[in-house]
Amino acid sequence: MGRAQHRVAIDLGTCHTVAVVRRGAEPPRAVLFDGTPLLPSGVYAGPDGSIMVGRDAERMAGLEPSRFEPYPKRRVDEHTVLLGSSEIRVVDLLAAVLERVVVEARQAGVEPVGGTVLSCPADWGAPRRGVLLAAAAAAGLGRVDLVEEPVAAATYCEAVQQQRIPVGRSLAVFDFGGGTLDVTVVRRDPTGLRVMAVGGLDDLGGVDIDAALVGH
């Protein structure tokens, strides 16, 4: 979860978004969305300007598929997306997903504003990270700390699985996600974990395997 002031950690993924919360000295626990820790990241833009997310968005997609964007994270390089007859900012699509996390975190008794860490791919540059931070601000999260996804994974190995990485040693993180394939080398320095090298493919993930199978 990071430093002591962090109360919520969010991973906004291509296909699903997950979050964990921590109250005081209690161990972190997963945020539930409709009874499951996985929130579909898809969004649906209603004709009235509203934006639905998760399973509500998936249900509405059956009525008007043109208003549904299943993978808004993949549109991060675009300023706007045309859904139905409406142009919606990508920042607003991502913010809608984060707003759902805010609602559920508060339902769990945790206030996320001012105490949230948000993960991002290690190879995202300043423009993409800026979009994510803007979405967090639009969602009302205030200031958030960005943590690179492989660093978050390595932190999990140390903090939860009790597999300490000695100073000077490195860890390879293989992340085959819904939208991308990322392979990263993370090194333990005296001051913390640091990304040494990153590679992968932006257009190879689980959704691409699904599309290839359907095409076949």
Side-chain angles (χ1 to χ4, degrees):
M1 291 286 285
R3 297 192 300 271
Q5 68 267 31
H6 290 141
R7 296 182 293 274
V8 180
I10 306 171
D11 177 25
L12 198 166
T14 300
C15 296
H16 293 95
T17 293
V18 297
V20 295
V21 295
R22 182 181 60 196
R23 292 195 302 183
E26 296 179 3
R29 68 182 191 278
V31 176
L32 297 182
F33 307 93
D34 301 317
T36 172
L38 296 178
L39 172 68
S41 298
V43 292
Y44 175 90
D48 60 351
S50 63
I51 299 178
M52 299 181 182
V53 302
R55 288 164 186 80
D56 291 336
E58 291 178 338
R59 284 191 288 269
M60 293 301 296
L63 300 177
E64 291 188 79
S66 66
R67 292 188 172 276
F68 181 61
E69 170 51 57
Y71 314 120
K73 188 177 178 180
R74 278 196 159 184
R75 313 297 290 272
V76 67
D77 293 327
E78 305 173 40
H79 181 64
T80 61
V81 175
L82 183 64
L83 297 180
S85 59
S86 305
E87 277 197 20
I88 312 294
R89 295 192 311 159
V90 173
V91 165
D92 294 332
L93 298 180
L94 299 177
V97 179
L98 295 176
E99 284 175 359
R100 177 67 188 277
V101 177
V102 170
V103 170
E104 298 300 336
R106 286 174 175 157
Q107 290 279 357
V110 176
E111 174 53 58
V113 177
T116 295
V117 59
L118 186 59
S119 67
C120 71
D123 61 350
W124 272 22
R128 289 179 173 180
R129 295 182 187 219
V131 171
L132 196 56
L133 289 172
L141 281 169
R143 179 184 178 275
V144 302
D145 287 325
L146 290 184
V147 175
E148 294 168 328
E149 290 170 357
V151 171
T155 301
Y156 174 85
C157 287
E158 287 197 314
V160 178
Q161 297 188 333
Q162 302 298 315
Q163 298 184 15
R164 298 294 299 176
I165 306 171
V167 173
R169 299 293 296 274
S170 298
L171 180 72
V173 179
F174 182 90
D175 182 4
F176 190 89
T180 61
L181 168 64
D182 299 296
V183 183
T184 311
V185 176
V186 178
R187 177 187 174 93
R188 162 61 72 183
D189 286 344
T191 56
L193 294 165
R194 181 162 61 98
V195 172
M196 301 297 296
V198 61
L201 296 170
D202 281 340
D203 57 354
L204 177 61
V207 297
D208 302 292
I209 301 298
D210 290 347
L213 290 172
V214 171
H216 178 71

